[in-house]
Amino acid sequence: MQMVIGGWVAKTISEITCLDIPDHLKKHGPLTAQQLVDRKLVKVNAGALHRALRACAAIGLFSESKDGRY
């Protein structure tokens, strides 16, 4: 099971990095997935981005606030 999840985690990290999400959050501060899309920082589906960011938060790459900011 860890091998299967490991591939999924690696792909998610790769995509988040390709979208420059860590750089955007560092520059603009904590934002929700919808705010990242609304501010045109990334051109992706906000729901899919939210799921990817939550997955990253689950493994400790990001932290998620109660209001959904990363």
Side-chain angles (χ1 to χ4, degrees):
M1 187 66 165
Q2 287 180 341
M3 289 171 58
V4 172
I5 291 174
W8 175 77
V9 168
K11 179 65 174 166
T12 303
I13 293 169
S14 174
E15 293 300 322
I16 290 294
T17 303
C18 286
L19 293 170
D20 295 325
I21 298 297
D23 293 333
H24 291 311
L25 295 176
K26 182 178 180 181
K27 182 177 180 180
H28 300 284
L31 297 170
T32 66
Q34 188 64 55
Q35 289 170 328
L36 285 162
V37 172
D38 290 347
R39 293 181 183 193
K40 300 188 186 330
L41 299 173
V42 292
K43 264 181 105 171
V44 296
N45 177 279
L49 179 59
H50 175 71
R51 289 188 296 277
L53 287 170
R54 288 202 74 198
C56 288
I59 60 171
L61 293 178
F62 295 111
S63 60
E64 181 182 10
S65 67
K66 290 183 181 183
D67 64 351
R69 294 174 191 265
Y70 297 92

